[in-house]
């Protein structure tokens, strides 16, 4: 795509904001150390720190969306953004739908959300969260939450944990790729041990776990333990409660996990490595590691659930260009895990859960060019084959025919 003058200026303005931040705050052009830097006197970015309530999804919202990142944000949709955006281009072709790999699901709501995660609360309602804000590669304001009785109609509960108000160690600004950075990544809400907990990560810093002080999903929240420092370097923290009520914490690609105390006030033991068997590599990004004999599942987005006595450990893998979950199964929580398989193509970075009627779902947000929409919450119905592999279900309540690909705006072409 060749940019016209207006498209070039919009993109240049987004790039300029990143460049100005880099010049103002980074000692080195590409300082990616995560070192602490002075808090900016004013926000150096044009983006919003929250995603907000969003809008009811319409037919055309099954295309387009957001593609956040450095040096800016791409956007295609029915309302203008209050900040400069980069051209959409081939950001979401829908090729996986065309191939029959991905059902043509429509988003739950029209809102910018990455790393969609949904759980059932103690009140029987569904709660949804994820990475929010205009550009999580720059900053956001904390953790936002939505509530639903039926997975279809969602109510916005607002910012339930604020970095500025309650962030502690996590609210510090850091240097990431040469620019100021402060953002919560992949928060997850869990109802475990009779209370609501939120686990999260800060890139270039580490992991944290929060506990509701009111026993309500909307908080307020405080650090469950380690209020003054991160728990461990890494991203994509997740919690899992076993049948015996033991709660475990893992993160990243699920390479290790630790059991927590019964009241979730700290570790009940040491971190233990996860065992994997089979050397077949499904993840293109990690092909070289496979050839060296390293046994890996994926590279980020760990998740864990249990069905029919089997533990399902998942991590995101780049499978033929798709940002998908790769799962493996085991009879023991620490492994060895076997039977690697791609589950729900393009649906990495979230979780798999069972609803109140006993149906299983994979969350979705669209994070690759084969997706038909990007950075919006969605749901894919999943089933299990005779061997126990996760497969896309025939019944897809949120799937409908897709609208045609949007025509590029005239001002974006020469």
């Amino acid at each position: 795509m060749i940019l016209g003058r207006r498209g070039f200026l919009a993109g240049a303005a987004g790039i300029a904001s990143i460049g100005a931040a880099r010049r103002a705050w980074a000692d080195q052009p590409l300082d990616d150390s995560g070192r602490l830097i002075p808090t900016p006197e004013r926000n150096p970015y044009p983006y919003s720190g929250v995603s907000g309530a969003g809008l009811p999804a319409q037919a055309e919202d099954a295309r387009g969306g957001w593609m956040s990142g450095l040096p800016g944000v791409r956007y295609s949709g029915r309302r203008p953004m209050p900040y400069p955006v980069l051209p959409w281009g081939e950001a979401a072709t829908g090729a996986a739908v065309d191939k029959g790999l991905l059902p043509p699901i429509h988003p739950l709501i029209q809102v910018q959300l990455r790393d969609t995660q949904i759980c059932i609360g103690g009140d029987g309602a569904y709660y949804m969260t994820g990475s929010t804000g205009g550009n999580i590669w720059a900053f956001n304001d904390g953790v936002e939450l939505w509530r639903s009785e039926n997975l279809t109609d969602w109510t916005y509960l607002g910012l339930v944990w604020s970095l500025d108000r309650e962030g502690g160690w996590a609210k510090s600004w850091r240097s990431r790729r040469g620019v100021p950075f402060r953002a919560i990544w992949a928060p997850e809400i869990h109802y475990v041990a009779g209370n609501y907990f939120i686990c999260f990560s800060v890139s270039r810093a580490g992991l944290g776990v929060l506990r509701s002080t009111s026993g309500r999903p909307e908080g307020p929240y405080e650090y469950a333990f380690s209020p003054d420092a991160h728990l461990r370097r890494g991203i994509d923290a997740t919690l899992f409660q076993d049948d015996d009520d033991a709660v475990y914490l893992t993160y990243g690609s699920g390479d290790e996990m630790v059991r927590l105390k019964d009241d979730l006030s700290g570790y009940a033991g040491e971190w233990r490595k996860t065992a994997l068997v089979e050397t077949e590599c499904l993840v293109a990004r990690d092909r070289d590691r496979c050839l060296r004999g390293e046994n890996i599942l994926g590279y980020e987005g760990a998740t864990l659930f249990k069905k029919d006595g089997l533990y399902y450990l998942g991590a995101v893998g780049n499978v033929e260009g798709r940002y998908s979950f790769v799962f493996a199964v085991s009879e023991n929580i620490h492994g060895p895990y076997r039977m690697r398989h791609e589950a729900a193509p393009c649906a990495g970075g979230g979780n798999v859960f069972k609803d109140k009627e006993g149906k299983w779902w994979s969350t979705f947000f669209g994070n690759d060019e084969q997706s038909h929409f990007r950075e919006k919450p969605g749901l894919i119905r999943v089933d299990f084959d005779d061997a126990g592999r996760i497969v896309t279900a025939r019944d897809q309540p949120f799937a409908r025919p897709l609208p045609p690909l949007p025509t590029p705006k005239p001002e974006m072409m020469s």
Side-chain angles (χ1 to χ4, degrees):
M1 175 178 292
I2 303 174
L3 297 182
R5 181 174 179 273
R6 187 177 303 177
F8 175 80
L9 291 176
I15 294 171
S17 68
I18 301 294
R22 176 173 289 143
R23 290 191 299 273
W25 295 99
D27 290 341
Q28 303 176 29
L30 293 176
D31 181 3
D32 203 28
S33 65
R35 66 180 177 86
L36 300 182
I37 61 174
T39 300
E41 293 182 5
R42 61 180 182 177
N43 192 329
Y45 299 106
Y47 315 114
S48 172
V50 295
S51 293
L55 297 171
Q58 298 181 1
E60 59 265 41
D61 297 326
R63 296 282 194 182
W66 293 262
M67 184 178 172
S68 57
L70 295 175
V73 177
R74 301 179 186 275
Y75 174 73
S76 174
R78 56 186 163 99
R79 59 175 178 171
M81 291 293 97
Y83 53 80
V85 296
L86 298 171
W88 187 244
E90 297 289 310
T93 64
V97 176
D98 296 338
K99 296 174 184 175
L101 300 173
L102 177 66
I105 60 169
H106 286 225
L108 302 177
I109 49 178
Q110 173 73 354
V111 69
Q112 187 175 7
L113 181 72
R114 295 176 57 92
D115 308 306
T116 308
Q117 187 262 350
I118 295 175
C119 82
I120 299 179
D123 57 0
Y126 299 98
Y127 292 92
M128 176 172 70
T129 188
S131 305
T132 58
N135 192 347
I136 67 163
W137 307 97
F139 87 105
N140 63 15
D141 288 345
V143 181
E144 297 176 78
L145 191 64
W146 291 259
R147 182 183 189 274
S148 175
E149 295 285 349
N150 54 18
L151 293 176
T152 300
D153 305 302
W154 292 90
T155 300
Y156 182 56
L157 300 182
L159 188 71
V160 297
W161 187 69
S162 164
L163 276 169
D164 284 325
R165 186 178 63 242
E166 301 145 323
W169 63 264
K171 78 182 207 178
S172 300
W173 287 76
R174 301 172 184 274
S175 179
R176 186 179 190 278
R177 296 189 182 181
V179 298
F181 169 86
R182 191 197 68 171
I184 296 299
W185 280 10
E188 296 188 357
I189 185 169
H190 295 266
Y191 183 73
V192 294
N195 198 3
Y196 293 91
F197 291 81
I198 292 175
C199 51
F200 69 91
S201 58
V202 177
S203 178
R204 305 306 187 267
L207 317 175
V209 177
L210 309 172
R211 172 180 52 227
S212 173
T213 61
S214 66
R216 299 189 302 268
E218 61 269 30
Y221 285 87
E222 65 180 8
Y223 283 100
F225 56 102
S226 190
D228 300 320
H230 63 263
L231 300 178
R232 203 168 188 79
R233 293 295 296 268
I235 60 172
D236 300 340
T238 190
L239 294 174
F240 166 74
Q241 185 169 20
D242 209 342
D243 298 336
D244 62 358
D245 293 331
V247 177
Y248 295 84
L249 171 68
T250 187
Y251 68 98
S253 56
D255 290 343
E256 57 181 349
M257 63 183 70
V258 65
R259 180 173 175 173
L260 301 182
K261 296 179 179 178
D262 291 344
D263 62 357
L264 276 68
S265 63
Y267 299 154
E270 300 296 323
W271 286 86
R272 289 184 58 180
K273 288 291 185 182
T274 304
L276 295 169
V277 295
E278 304 172 350
T279 56
E280 180 184 0
C281 185
L282 300 179
V283 183
R285 173 169 165 172
D286 292 328
R287 188 78 61 190
D288 290 342
R289 293 177 61 187
C290 289
L291 293 175
R292 292 197 301 268
E294 297 182 40
N295 215 356
I296 56 173
L297 187 61
Y299 53 85
E300 63 188 17
T303 191
L304 180 62
F305 70 92
K306 192 175 186 180
K307 179 183 183 294
D308 297 336
L310 289 178
Y311 297 92
Y312 285 75
L313 179 65
V316 171
N318 181 341
V319 182
E320 298 179 350
R322 297 184 294 274
Y323 190 82
S324 299
F325 265 137
V326 175
F327 275 89
V329 301
S330 176
E331 290 80 8
N332 186 288
I333 191 168
H334 296 290
Y337 285 86
R338 64 185 186 281
M339 198 170 68
R340 286 190 190 88
H341 60 281
E342 180 186 19
C346 306
N351 69 312
V352 172
F353 69 96
K354 184 169 67 172
D355 69 13
K356 292 180 285 187
E357 298 176 353
K359 297 178 180 178
W360 288 86
W361 301 85
S362 173
T363 61
F364 180 91
F365 75 97
N367 196 40
D368 61 67
E369 293 181 0
Q370 296 186 40
S371 302
H372 51 295
F373 64 76
R374 302 286 291 262
E375 299 190 15
K376 306 182 204 181
L379 281 173
I380 300 172
R381 270 270 293 119
V382 295
D383 278 331
F384 299 81
D385 67 14
D386 292 342
R389 296 180 184 87
I390 303 169
V391 296
T392 303
R394 291 179 178 272
D395 174 33
Q396 294 293 332
F398 294 100
R400 297 186 296 279
L402 296 182
L405 284 168
T407 302
K409 295 180 180 180
E411 64 265 27
M412 301 300 282
M413 305 292 290
S414 63

